[in-house]
Amino acid sequence: MAAWARTWRVALRIADFHVTAVYDVNRAAATKLAGELGCAACQDLSEVTAQSDVIITVVSDDAAMRQIFAKSGDSLLVNSNGKLFINCATITPRVHLEVEELAGEAGAHSLEACMASSITQARDGSLYLMCGGKEQAFRVAQPILMKLGKTVRYVGKAGEAAKVKALVNMVMNINTAGLAEGLGLAKALGLDLTMLREVFSETGAASRVLANRR
Protein backbone atom coordinates (compact mmCIF):
# COMPACT_ATOMS: atom_id res chain seq x y z
CA MET A 1 0.00 0.00 0.00
CA ALA A 2 2.88 2.41 0.56
CA ALA A 3 6.13 2.93 -1.29
CA TRP A 4 9.03 5.35 -1.33
CA ALA A 5 10.21 7.54 -4.16
CA ARG A 6 13.42 8.21 -2.21
CA THR A 7 13.99 5.66 0.50
CA TRP A 8 14.47 6.42 4.18
CA ARG A 9 14.66 4.07 7.12
CA VAL A 10 11.40 5.38 8.53
CA ALA A 11 9.75 3.10 5.93
CA LEU A 12 10.42 0.27 8.35
CA ARG A 13 7.92 1.90 10.72
CA ILE A 14 4.93 1.80 8.37
CA ALA A 15 3.41 -0.94 10.51
CA ASP A 16 0.43 -2.85 9.11
CA PHE A 17 1.01 -1.48 5.60
CA HIS A 18 2.71 -3.51 2.94
CA VAL A 19 5.66 -1.81 1.26
CA THR A 20 5.60 -2.90 -2.37
CA ALA A 21 8.52 -0.98 -3.86
CA VAL A 22 11.38 1.41 -3.14
CA TYR A 23 13.39 3.72 -5.35
CA ASP A 24 16.56 5.74 -4.88
CA VAL A 25 19.03 7.34 -7.26
CA ASN A 26 21.59 5.30 -5.32
CA ARG A 27 20.79 1.84 -6.66
CA ALA A 28 22.89 0.07 -4.04
CA ALA A 29 20.96 1.74 -1.22
CA ALA A 30 17.63 0.92 -2.84
CA THR A 31 18.59 -2.71 -3.41
CA LYS A 32 19.79 -3.13 0.17
CA LEU A 33 16.61 -1.65 1.64
CA ALA A 34 14.42 -3.67 -0.71
CA GLY A 35 16.15 -6.83 0.52
CA GLU A 36 15.42 -5.91 4.13
CA LEU A 37 11.77 -5.14 3.37
CA GLY A 38 11.16 -7.98 0.95
CA CYS A 39 9.95 -5.70 -1.83
CA ALA A 40 10.98 -4.55 -5.29
CA ALA A 41 13.84 -2.12 -5.93
CA CYS A 42 12.53 -0.25 -8.94
CA GLN A 43 14.83 1.11 -11.64
CA ASP A 44 12.26 3.63 -12.86
CA LEU A 45 10.04 6.06 -10.98
CA SER A 46 7.03 4.99 -13.02
CA GLU A 47 7.47 1.44 -11.67
CA VAL A 48 6.96 2.72 -8.13
CA THR A 49 3.66 4.33 -9.08
CA ALA A 50 2.53 1.25 -10.99
CA GLN A 51 3.10 -1.01 -7.98
CA SER A 52 1.70 1.29 -5.27
CA ASP A 53 -1.51 2.94 -4.12
CA VAL A 54 0.29 5.43 -1.88
CA ILE A 55 3.75 6.81 -2.66
CA ILE A 56 5.81 8.53 0.05
CA THR A 57 8.58 10.80 -1.18
CA VAL A 58 11.59 12.27 0.63
CA VAL A 59 13.96 14.22 -1.59
CA SER A 60 16.80 16.66 -1.03
CA ASP A 61 15.60 19.88 -2.64
CA ASP A 62 13.23 21.64 -5.06
CA ALA A 63 15.10 20.42 -8.14
CA ALA A 64 14.86 16.79 -7.05
CA MET A 65 11.14 17.20 -6.31
CA ARG A 66 10.48 18.66 -9.74
CA GLN A 67 12.47 15.84 -11.31
CA ILE A 68 10.46 13.03 -9.75
CA PHE A 69 7.21 14.83 -10.65
CA ALA A 70 8.30 15.79 -14.19
CA LYS A 71 5.62 16.39 -16.81
CA SER A 72 7.41 14.14 -19.30
CA GLY A 73 9.81 11.21 -19.30
CA ASP A 74 10.21 8.88 -16.36
CA SER A 75 8.12 10.32 -13.55
CA LEU A 76 5.95 9.32 -10.62
CA LEU A 77 3.07 10.97 -12.47
CA VAL A 78 3.00 8.29 -15.19
CA ASN A 79 -0.31 6.41 -14.91
CA SER A 80 -0.91 7.96 -11.47
CA ASN A 81 -4.68 8.33 -11.73
CA GLY A 82 -6.21 7.55 -8.33
CA LYS A 83 -2.86 7.41 -6.51
CA LEU A 84 -1.94 9.38 -3.39
CA PHE A 85 1.44 11.07 -2.97
CA ILE A 86 2.64 11.93 0.56
CA ASN A 87 5.59 14.30 0.26
CA CYS A 88 7.82 14.67 3.31
CA ALA A 89 10.76 16.68 2.00
CA THR A 90 11.77 20.09 3.32
CA ILE A 91 11.30 22.18 0.18
CA THR A 92 9.81 25.56 -0.70
CA PRO A 93 6.04 26.04 -0.41
CA ARG A 94 5.58 26.89 -4.09
CA VAL A 95 6.93 23.50 -5.15
CA HIS A 96 4.34 21.72 -2.99
CA LEU A 97 1.73 23.82 -4.79
CA GLU A 98 3.20 22.84 -8.17
CA VAL A 99 3.16 19.16 -7.25
CA GLU A 100 -0.45 19.32 -6.05
CA GLU A 101 -1.47 20.93 -9.35
CA LEU A 102 0.45 18.40 -11.44
CA ALA A 103 -0.97 15.49 -9.44
CA GLY A 104 -4.47 16.86 -9.89
CA GLU A 105 -4.00 17.13 -13.64
CA ALA A 106 -2.97 13.45 -13.64
CA GLY A 107 -6.01 12.44 -11.58
CA ALA A 108 -3.92 11.84 -8.44
CA HIS A 109 -3.83 13.44 -4.99
CA SER A 110 -0.91 15.09 -3.20
CA LEU A 111 -0.30 15.92 0.45
CA GLU A 112 2.72 17.54 2.07
CA ALA A 113 3.72 15.97 5.39
CA CYS A 114 6.63 18.02 6.71
CA MET A 115 8.68 16.41 9.48
CA ALA A 116 9.56 18.58 12.49
CA SER A 117 11.68 15.96 14.21
CA SER A 118 15.03 14.24 13.82
CA ILE A 119 16.43 10.84 12.83
CA THR A 120 15.80 9.33 16.26
CA GLN A 121 12.08 10.10 16.03
CA ALA A 122 11.92 8.78 12.48
CA ARG A 123 13.39 5.46 13.57
CA ASP A 124 10.98 4.95 16.45
CA GLY A 125 7.88 6.22 14.65
CA SER A 126 7.38 9.32 16.82
CA LEU A 127 7.70 12.08 14.24
CA TYR A 128 5.84 15.38 14.48
CA LEU A 129 4.15 15.73 11.09
CA MET A 130 2.64 18.94 9.75
CA CYS A 131 0.38 18.38 6.77
CA GLY A 132 -0.81 20.67 4.01
CA GLY A 133 -3.12 20.04 1.09
CA LYS A 134 -6.73 19.18 0.44
CA GLU A 135 -8.47 17.89 3.55
CA GLN A 136 -9.76 14.85 1.65
CA ALA A 137 -6.17 13.82 0.86
CA PHE A 138 -5.24 14.30 4.50
CA ARG A 139 -8.06 12.03 5.69
CA VAL A 140 -7.00 9.29 3.29
CA ALA A 141 -3.35 9.58 4.35
CA GLN A 142 -4.02 9.89 8.07
CA PRO A 143 -4.01 6.16 8.95
CA ILE A 144 -0.54 5.80 7.41
CA LEU A 145 0.76 9.03 8.95
CA MET A 146 -0.39 7.94 12.40
CA LYS A 147 1.99 4.98 12.10
CA LEU A 148 4.89 7.32 11.33
CA GLY A 149 4.31 10.02 13.93
CA LYS A 150 3.01 10.55 17.43
CA THR A 151 1.53 13.88 16.33
CA VAL A 152 -0.08 14.43 12.93
CA ARG A 153 -1.38 17.97 12.49
CA TYR A 154 -3.38 19.29 9.56
CA VAL A 155 -2.19 22.86 8.96
CA GLY A 156 -4.19 23.87 5.90
CA LYS A 157 -3.86 24.17 2.14
CA ALA A 158 -0.81 23.07 0.16
CA GLY A 159 2.28 25.10 0.97
CA GLU A 160 1.16 26.10 4.47
CA ALA A 161 2.92 23.21 6.24
CA ALA A 162 6.16 24.05 4.43
CA LYS A 163 5.90 27.64 5.72
CA VAL A 164 5.43 26.40 9.28
CA LYS A 165 8.36 23.98 8.88
CA ALA A 166 10.59 26.85 7.73
CA LEU A 167 9.67 28.82 10.86
CA VAL A 168 10.30 25.79 13.06
CA ASN A 169 13.75 25.43 11.52
CA MET A 170 14.48 29.13 11.96
CA VAL A 171 13.63 29.17 15.66
CA MET A 172 15.38 25.83 16.25
CA ASN A 173 18.56 27.12 14.61
CA ILE A 174 18.47 30.24 16.79
CA ASN A 175 18.14 27.99 19.85
CA THR A 176 20.95 25.77 18.59
CA ALA A 177 23.26 28.75 18.17
CA GLY A 178 22.50 29.94 21.72
CA LEU A 179 23.07 26.46 23.12
CA ALA A 180 26.39 26.15 21.28
CA GLU A 181 27.52 29.51 22.65
CA GLY A 182 26.63 28.47 26.19
CA LEU A 183 28.37 25.12 25.99
CA GLY A 184 31.42 26.69 24.34
CA LEU A 185 31.73 29.24 27.11
CA ALA A 186 31.27 26.52 29.73
CA LYS A 187 34.10 24.53 28.20
CA ALA A 188 36.35 27.61 28.22
CA LEU A 189 35.52 28.09 31.91
CA GLY A 190 36.48 24.49 32.64
CA LEU A 191 32.99 23.37 33.66
CA ASP A 192 31.77 19.77 33.39
CA LEU A 193 29.62 19.73 30.26
CA THR A 194 27.64 16.66 31.30
CA MET A 195 26.71 18.39 34.54
CA LEU A 196 25.82 21.58 32.68
CA ARG A 197 23.55 19.78 30.22
CA GLU A 198 21.70 18.24 33.15
CA VAL A 199 21.32 21.67 34.74
CA PHE A 200 20.10 23.13 31.46
CA SER A 201 17.52 20.37 31.09
CA GLU A 202 15.85 21.22 34.41
CA THR A 203 15.96 25.02 34.28
CA GLY A 204 14.92 27.88 32.03
CA ALA A 205 17.80 26.93 29.72
CA ALA A 206 16.03 23.68 28.77
CA SER A 207 16.34 22.99 25.06
CA ARG A 208 14.46 20.65 22.76
CA VAL A 209 17.55 20.61 20.61
CA LEU A 210 19.57 19.28 23.55
CA ALA A 211 16.95 16.61 24.22
CA ASN A 212 16.63 15.43 20.60
CA ARG A 213 20.19 15.70 19.27
CA ARG A 214 22.52 14.24 21.90
Side-chain angles (χ1 to χ4, degrees):
M1 293 273 300
W4 289 90
R6 297 249 322 176
T7 58
W8 198 29
R9 294 285 174 176
V10 71
L12 298 174
R13 295 296 178 179
I14 308 179
D16 303 325
F17 292 94
H18 177 55
V19 179
T20 59
V22 296
Y23 175 89
D24 197 291
V25 292
N26 183 333
R27 283 291 299 161
T31 301
K32 180 179 179 182
L33 182 60
E36 294 176 10
L37 297 175
C39 68
C42 296
Q43 296 194 47
D44 297 311
L45 290 164
S46 57
E47 290 181 53
V48 177
T49 304
Q51 297 188 41
S52 312
D53 297 317
V54 179
I55 300 91
I56 301 176
T57 70
V58 185
V59 296
S60 56
D61 53 33
D62 288 357
M65 194 69 166
R66 288 182 170 125
Q67 182 176 353
I68 65 174
F69 285 102
K71 293 183 179 180
S72 60
D74 184 39
S75 167
L76 291 174
L77 293 172
V78 174
N79 296 321
S80 62
N81 183 53
K83 310 288 185 170
L84 170 64
F85 298 104
I86 301 175
N87 305 310
C88 300
T90 300
I91 56 175
T92 56
R94 73 174 180 274
V95 177
H96 280 296
L97 287 166
E98 291 174 12
V99 169
E100 182 182 69
E101 182 177 352
L102 289 169
E105 292 173 357
H109 303 281
S110 175
L111 181 78
E112 62 187 291
C114 300
M115 301 174 286
S117 305
S118 191
I119 294 173
T120 300
Q121 290 72 42
R123 285 173 174 163
D124 63 20
S126 62
L127 290 168
Y128 190 105
L129 295 168
M130 300 166 293
C131 302
K134 292 182 172 60
E135 192 166 357
Q136 178 186 3
F138 173 71
R139 297 303 174 198
V140 174
Q142 196 171 15
I144 295 175
L145 297 176
M146 292 300 293
K147 297 295 184 180
L148 299 177
K150 67 175 182 180
T151 302
V152 178
R153 187 182 186 107
Y154 180 66
V155 174
K157 63 184 180 180
E160 297 297 289
K163 294 175 185 177
V164 174
K165 173 64 184 294
L167 291 169
V168 168
N169 282 356
M170 181 190 76
V171 174
M172 180 185 70
N173 289 335
I174 291 170
N175 290 339
T176 301
L179 177 62
E181 287 289 335
L183 292 174
L185 179 57
K187 184 177 181 180
L189 293 171
L191 293 173
D192 183 314
L193 297 186
T194 299
M195 173 275 296
L196 187 65
R197 287 196 296 267
E198 292 173 355
V199 171
F200 278 1
S201 70
E202 297 182 34
T203 64
S207 170
R208 293 284 296 172
V209 174
L210 189 61
N212 292 337
R213 298 174 184 270
R214 293 182 179 237

